[in-house]
Amino acid sequence: MDINAQSLRSAYVGFNAAFQTGFAGATSMYLRVASVVPSSTKTQEYGWLGKLPRFREWIGDRVINALAKHGYSLTNKSFENTIGVDRDDFDDDNLGIYAPLFQELGASAASFPDELVWPFLKNGFATKCYDGQFYFDTDHPVLDENGNVISVANTDGGAGTPWFLLDVSRPLKPVIYQDRKKFNKLIRMDKEDDANVFSKKEYQYGTDGRCEVGFGFWQMAWGSKQALDAAHYATARAALGGMKGDHGRPLAIKPTLLVVPPSLEGAARKIVGNSLADGGGTNEWYNTAEVLVVPWLA
């Protein structure tokens, strides 16, 4: 193959088509538990977390719901993925071998948020959220009906494989995916005077983006490392359903998504997927939650 501007352009068009095919066909699951928050700055402030506005009877002047200042912020990070194409493969017209690689690059770009969101959720037992406590903790501070600070749990501990029961029905989901620059463009360095071509006889194609993940309201999630059985599932549902905000206001949490790694799929489906319990009786937890099996939690 003659290497010139036209042949390099044609090669890029083919590589980009494979990239976009992989991007469009990728399976992504992070949007089930994460709200995408567009970002336009290096660091995004989330000082409003912890303040869920409530309605009151209008007697006298309005009462302003001031934002709670928790000092929670997320700073975007940069990520990249690059493929090098040897100039000899251009000379030998051997570019077909790269199509699957660029398609895989596109699929990886589309699913990269999953690689951030799901491990982040899994690490919530040791990662702090807006109130300064670990996201899954036993002593989140909340004001009771009398204005006194009490401790509220969204975990029952344990030392086994973690699983999660979540309310994902609200506008803000348990996890925040902060989107600064999307990973949806393939860029190239393929000019003959580019340093990589001159020094390494390598044409380079890659994608990059900027983002970060963080936690939203802890009241919408229950994390457990206890055995996934009916008893611990019942504990999780009762705790989430009974969650209250400051001053004793019920939050009407609806725990309908049971998130598990592949190793706990059978246990999860036994609890909520069987209409009959062991022994033939009615299973009271049947169909009370959707099971989401997440390979990134393996």
Side-chain angles (χ1 to χ4, degrees):
M1 175 189 293
D2 291 332
I3 301 178
N4 52 46
Q6 182 175 350
S7 62
L8 288 171
R9 171 64 182 171
S10 296
Y12 170 73
V13 170
F15 294 155
N16 187 55
F19 174 86
Q20 297 299 337
T21 296
F23 191 93
T27 298
S28 185
M29 304 172 71
Y30 73 100
L31 292 175
R32 296 298 310 275
V33 301
S35 294
V36 177
V37 177
S39 173
S40 59
T41 60
K42 179 179 181 180
T43 299
Q44 203 82 17
E45 298 288 341
Y46 293 87
W48 47 267
L49 281 172
K51 190 68 174 181
L52 291 169
R54 63 175 298 184
F55 281 89
R56 59 180 288 275
E57 185 179 0
W58 194 346
I59 300 175
D61 294 335
R62 286 180 178 265
V63 175
I64 307 301
N65 288 295
L67 295 181
K69 299 299 182 182
H70 287 282
Y72 191 62
S73 62
L74 299 177
T75 300
N76 292 302
K77 297 177 182 177
S78 297
F79 301 91
E80 63 84 23
N81 198 346
T82 304
I83 293 176
V85 177
D86 194 297
R87 184 165 60 190
D88 290 347
D89 287 323
F90 270 91
D91 286 335
D92 299 337
D93 198 10
N94 194 32
L95 299 183
I97 62 174
Y98 288 95
L101 190 58
F102 279 97
Q103 190 167 343
E104 182 61 32
L105 177 63
S108 296
S111 62
F112 179 67
D114 289 284
E115 297 183 33
L116 297 180
V117 167
W118 296 111
F120 189 74
L121 180 66
K122 186 176 180 179
N123 292 331
F125 300 92
T127 303
K128 293 183 178 180
C129 62
Y130 68 85
D131 64 0
Q133 302 298 123
F134 294 143
Y135 186 68
F136 297 115
D137 213 338
T138 58
D139 54 354
H140 289 287
V142 176
L143 299 180
D144 65 11
E145 292 87 343
N146 300 315
N148 300 314
V149 178
I150 59 173
S151 293
V152 176
N154 67 335
T155 181
D156 54 354
T161 302
W163 53 273
F164 311 93
L165 186 62
L166 310 173
D167 179 355
V168 294
S169 65
R170 305 293 184 95
L172 184 66
K173 294 181 173 61
V175 179
I176 295 169
Y177 178 76
Q178 183 172 283
D179 185 12
R180 180 67 177 88
K181 179 185 178 184
K182 299 182 183 301
F183 299 83
N184 60 352
K185 293 183 178 180
L186 186 68
I187 56 178
R188 57 177 175 157
M189 290 186 65
D190 60 358
K191 295 180 180 178
E192 288 299 311
D193 56 355
D194 284 336
N196 50 288
V197 179
F198 181 80
S199 301
K200 300 179 180 180
K201 67 179 182 68
E202 182 181 75
Y203 301 97
Q204 296 178 354
Y205 306 85
T207 186
D208 64 89
R210 296 174 63 196
C211 60
E212 183 56 301
V213 293
F215 283 121
F217 295 115
W218 56 265
Q219 297 93 333
M220 298 178 181
W222 182 272
S224 178
K225 293 184 180 181
Q226 300 286 355
L228 179 52
D229 54 27
H232 289 107
Y233 177 77
T235 297
R237 288 194 65 86
L240 283 178
M243 282 288 180
K244 296 182 178 181
D246 286 341
H247 306 293
R249 176 172 63 99
L251 295 178
I253 299 298
K254 296 175 288 186
T256 57
L257 188 66
L258 180 58
V259 176
V260 298
S263 62
L264 293 181
E265 180 178 4
R269 297 197 185 284
K270 179 180 179 181
I271 295 171
V272 300
N274 294 333
S275 58
L276 299 178
D278 291 340
T282 300
N283 178 11
E284 61 185 319
W285 305 122
Y286 172 63
N287 209 29
T288 55
E290 176 190 354
V291 175
L292 184 66
V293 182
V294 180
W296 290 277
L297 292 177

